[in-house]
């Protein structure tokens, strides 16, 4: 009896082991293929997760209407990391251990990507992320690719824009206390001061917790800056903009792609007028397929695609192309991504160098309640 029980347990363990070892991923017996999205679907950054999922589903609708891949429909599995690096590994473990998941688009928050990337790498699952922290593509995770520019690139471009284009010389920084905000603060400071400017104040806050910014704004006002760089996301940036005027701090504000959302305007109203920020996409900057993407997104969702919707759409298109060219397996998709050069993305041509994308940066601004291209781009 004991021997039978032992053999039964051994059989179960063997099945579990075989299931966990994907051997390249994918299930050829299934009538469907699966990719996954790991993003904040709840919490303060949920707007970005929602837009990304909408864009991915649009890309899948298009390929499925054409017959799918290898005659199979491609489906999306969505995981909610809540924007929390403690939750991200749980989502990653679920996807990496699921043999049918061929690739992952995500995570959005840099801290989540850093917390989860090792799990994906151990499983050999390809990931395309739009997180910006430069450590993400440090060479330790060859299956992970970044489709957005790094925080260092953004910060340096914003510092050059503030100094060379706007003519500012005394900057203050208000940054969120995570990998994203800290990296931006450090890189902006280094670049701005190398140009001859001075960062006269640097204050921090906690995403999702800070609501009253008067202590930080009072300290910043005392240093008399002529521009303020807010290194964070749209919720806190809207609050900061609303509180800056009453605090007597009436200086131009600049930010990163972390505020590239219509939610900034909905939350901040008139207070966010004139804010300028870095971005990778705007509907008025057209590449092959941009117009069609924008029109399809509007028709399906009755809203404008944002920065991250465009990047998620391009990410899905890259993965789908990898399936077509190299087969619907994790290994096939990864091999395709390794050689991507001048892929026609709706946010611009995509090439990967050392797993990082090469692309130009845009400067957008809030004008008359809309997000538009700033009239004085950084050349």
């Amino acid at each position: 009896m004991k021997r039978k029980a032992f053999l039964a347990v051994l059989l179960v363990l063997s099945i579990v082991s075989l299931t966990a070892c994907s051997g390249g991923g994918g299930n050829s017996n299934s009538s469907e293929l699966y990719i996954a999205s790991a993003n904040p679907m709840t919490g303060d950054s949920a707007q970005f997760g929602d837009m990304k999922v909408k864009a991915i589903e649009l890309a899948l609708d298009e390929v499925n209407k054409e017959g799918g891949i290898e005659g199979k429909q491609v489906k999306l599995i969505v995981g909610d990391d809540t924007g929390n690096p403690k939750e991200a590994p749980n989502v990653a473990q679920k996807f990496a251990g699921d043999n049918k998941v061929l690739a992952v688009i995500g995570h959005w928050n840099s801290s989540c990507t850093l917390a989860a990337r090792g799990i994906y790498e151990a499983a050999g699952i390809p990931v395309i992320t739009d997180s910006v922290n430069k450590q993400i593509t440090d060479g330790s995770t060859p299956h992970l690719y970044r489709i957005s520019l790094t925080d260092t690139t953004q910060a340096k471009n914003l510092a050059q824009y503030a100094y060379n284009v706007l003519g500012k010389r005394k900057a203050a920084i208000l940054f969120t206390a995570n990998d994203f905000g800290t990296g931006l603060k450090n890189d902006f400071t280094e670049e701005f001061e190398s140009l001859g400017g001075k960062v006269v104040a640097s204050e921090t806050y906690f995403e999702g917790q800070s609501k009253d910014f008067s202590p930080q704004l009072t300290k910043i006002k005392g240093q008399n800056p002529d521009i303020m760089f807010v290194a964070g996301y749209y919720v806190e940036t809207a609050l900061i903009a609303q509180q800056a005027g009453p605090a007597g701090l009436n200086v131009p504000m600049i930010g990163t792609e972390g505020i590239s959302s219509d939610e900034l305007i909905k939350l901040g109203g008139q207070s966010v007028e004139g804010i300028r920020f870095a971005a990778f996409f705007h509907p008025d900057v057209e590449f092959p397929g941009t117009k069609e993407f924008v029109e399809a997104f509007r028709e399906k969702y009755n809203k404008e695609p944002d920065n991250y919707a465009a990047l998620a759409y391009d990410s899905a298109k890259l993965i789908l192309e990898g399936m077509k060219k190299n087969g619907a397996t994790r290994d096939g998709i990864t091999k395709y991504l390794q050689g991507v050069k001048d892929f026609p993305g709706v946010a611009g041509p995509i090439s990967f160098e050392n797993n990082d994308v090469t692309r130009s940066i845009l400067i957008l601004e809030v004008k008359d309640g809309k997000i538009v291209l700033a009239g004085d781009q950084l050349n």
Side-chain angles (χ1 to χ4, degrees), residues 174-182 203-207 231-233:
L174 190 48
F175 67 100
T176 183
N178 62 15
D179 297 311
F180 174 68
T182 302
E203 299 292 331
T204 192
Y205 65 87
F206 295 92
E207 180 197 2
Y233 310 117

Side-chain angles (χ1 to χ4, degrees), residues 24-25 35-36 101-106 120-121 123-129 142-145 319 323 329-337:
I35 65 174
V101 175
L102 300 176
V104 176
I105 299 173
Y120 294 124
E121 188 62 33
I125 187 168
V127 178
I128 301 180
T129 183
H143 289 82
L144 187 151
Y145 290 78
I319 290 168
M323 291 182 187
T329 66
R330 294 178 179 180
D331 289 343
I333 296 167
T334 300
K335 289 177 182 176
Y336 173 77
L337 294 176

